[in-house]
Amino acid sequence: MAQKIKLSTIADALKVSTATVSLALRDSPLVADQTREKIKEHARAIGYIYNRRAASLRTSRSGIVGVVVHDIMNPFFAEILRAIEGELDRSGQTFILSNHYDQLDKQRTFIDTVLQLGGDGVIMSPAIGTPAEDIRMAEDNGLPVVLIARSVKDANVPVFRGDDAYGIGLATNHLISLGHTRIAMVGGTDQTSTGRDRYEGYLHAMQKAGLEVKPEWRIPGPRTKQAGFDAAPQFLALKDHPTAAVCWNDLAAIGMMNGIARAGLVAGVDISVTGYDDLEEAAIATPALTTVWNGQREVGQRAARALLDQLNGADTHARQELIKPELRIRQSTSRPKER
Amino acid sequence: MAQKIKLSTIADALKVSTATVSLALRDSPLVADQTREKIKEHARAIGYIYNRRAASLRTSRSGIVGVVVHDIMNPFFAEILRAIEGELDRSGQTFILSNHYDQLDKQRTFIDTVLQLGGDGVIMSPAIGTPAEDIRMAEDNGLPVVLIARSVKDANVPVFRGDDAYGIGLATNHLISLGHTRIAMVGGTDQTSTGRDRYEGYLHAMQKAGLEVKPEWRIPGPRTKQAGFDAAPQFLALKDHPTAAVCWNDLAAIGMMNGIARAGLVAGVDISVTGYDDLEEAAIATPALTTVWNGQREVGQRAARALLDQLNGADTHARQELIKPELRIRQSTSRPKER
DNA sequence: TGGGTGCGGTCAAACGTTTGGCCAGGACCC
DNA sequence: GGGTCCTGGCCAAACGTTTGACCGCACCCA
């Protein structure tokens, strides 16, 4: 590796000061066009590499944004991340990504890392049980926070998420309108704001339609295909089992449909199943999954923009923005089978 | 936000020098136990935050490792990333992650960013068409590179990947041993080393068994479910269509099985299908997918360790390590149906 | 008594940028 | 011809750490 090239290397070669070089490379109008071109040209020629740490030490802007979610491999978050990535890319921010797997200490470590690196902001989907305190701590240290997908009680920061209660209501009502009266809810937990909202939405829709809800019809579990798959036999073992299941998300729904198939039944015929999120995968599942579009792209984009605006000095008030979900009807739901 | 707390804040408060504080916080034996404790205690109490940029400016070690792959949302990479994450975490490195979507300029931008941030190294699954030049450029600037999943011709760096030719041979031979003679290969491209190796492996197995291979039996395409799904009708439209398909990866295979189901046929009965990678999902697909375990976890772990070793001064010679894949037989393959 | 050794700690120079303040020279104006 | 403005550029002080060189002291040994 050749000798490190720095501003002064260029400055010396061209008989100007480092200040001029610095300004020229950043297209400052303070330097004459001709000089600027000469400098940029030379910099390119000798392969100068801008040292961001040195710069940010001086400017205290690092161009780094931290993003932390439960699990980046979960397609739901993956779609959000894709949107965030696009937005951040366009404004030249680097993002560092991490999973917290719903472990508070992993989340704290991450925030700490971002602080140490002098990050400009954080976008996070808070781990279960995140205290408002943790968020305040970040903000106190000059790290603006934006929340996605879940909110944190008493945390005074912007939140972007789907309207879960409303969305799950769409799915439940759809099943009810098809004639189902015994409807279970499969997957998910009640420990997140999302979880509570979805369960409430389901309950509310059932009650509004005057339908009974048995406690054993709530089969909670992780939000994974595996969990849905495992829930299927439980569901089928219920005496007088329901004719339909509202699943926490598409993953659980797809897993459950697989489980139903394993039991020799046909989802969408014997048992109706709805998902949630409308992942790309939902449309090509067999049968194609009736689900609720949850605006992942919207959430990601708006969250990223809100953060960027804040970095640019806009006074982002702590608002909560709910994206309105939409029902996508496909083949996994139908009228209940007579017996 | 309170006044920035720095080493000297602590130093002043405790009437010692910043040097002592710096050493104490890093557990140097050069400072007396008692002093050290006092310093660490005070630092904690007032909420001192270590400034890594300042430190790395001095030390030229940033604790940052760049990781870039085609698409982090692809479960194949996701599983590798999970392993890398674990390894890096344990040694306190921060990793910044990015997709290149097989675009060379995105990949270059990423490497440039890592250079600017003073990253300690890069783990990458090179984009299609990556010239050895690009990698040499990184290394010339003091950024060690480790490759995963794909190799780059003439690039003199460590590579960790599965033995694709061997692995696809396992799948092909399995089908042959079941009695299939007309076997197609679905999905993937021949533009990557992986692609060529897999196709070669398939060809080689067929030829060794004395079986004919028709050109139209090669149905290339992206490595996604959607692609597999779309390939199904093409496959079925072939006159005298094959009785089995070796798919590029599990995603394509699962997509194809869905496509087969849509056509009213049953994968694993009418058409045998094999996947590649053994994603978590393969086992719960319906039918459960016969596939080839590709050692994602191994690849990720070894790559990360190799890089870490190199950072610690070990002289990592540029080796290519091939992980031996293993066949996982499930329900998506069976004897060909007589007609 | 004088020199050697360890211990605990300090000094100050770097690391590579950015930026507010300053300056030289020329054009322009009355 | 003296004042005012502009233009293009330079100076030097930060930003917060780390680290090689040094230092003072106590103790020990001969």
Side-chain angles (χ1 to χ4, degrees), chain A residues 6-7 19 22 48 50 54 58:
Chain A
K6 40 185 173 173
L7 285 188
S22 171
Y48 166 71
Y50 179 64
R58 183 67 228 272

Side-chain angles (χ1 to χ4, degrees), chain A residues 139 144-146 158 305-317:
Chain A
E139 298 236 302
V145 174
V146 168
R305 271 200 214 127
L307 183 61
L308 291 172
D309 286 353
Q310 199 167 133
L311 296 186
N312 292 329
D315 180 32
T316 316
H317 50 292

Side-chain angles (χ1 to χ4, degrees), chain A residues 162-176 183-188 194-206 218 245-250 274-277 290-294 323-327:
Chain A
D163 187 340
D164 292 296
Y166 173 80
I168 213 81
L170 292 177
T172 314
N173 286 332
H174 167 64
L175 290 169
I176 293 172
I183 304 176
M185 176 156 186
V186 172
T194 315
R196 286 184 295 273
D197 288 354
R198 290 197 188 168
Y199 188 54
E200 287 305 321
Y202 156 77
L203 276 186
H204 184 247
M206 292 294 277
R218 173 84 185 98
V246 172
C247 295
W248 166 277
N249 63 7
D250 286 356
T274 65
Y276 204 99
D277 290 342
T290 295
T291 186
V292 177
W293 172 82
N294 197 13
I323 281 96
K324 274 281 175 255
E326 294 169 18
L327 186 65

Side-chain angles (χ1 to χ4, degrees), chain A residues 10 14 16 24 31 185 234 285 295 297 302 309:
Chain A
I10 302 179
L14 264 42
V16 291
V31 23
M185 176 156 186
Q234 282 183 56
R297 196 156 245 92
R302 290 212 222 164
D309 286 353

Side-chain angles (χ1 to χ4, degrees), chain B residues 157-186:
Chain B
V157 295
V159 185
F160 299 85
R161 46 192 286 252
D163 187 339
D164 291 295
Y166 173 80
I168 212 83
L170 292 176
T172 314
N173 287 330
H174 167 64
L175 290 168
I176 293 171
S177 74
L178 283 172
H180 293 271
T181 54
R182 300 198 311 288
I183 304 177
M185 176 156 188
V186 172

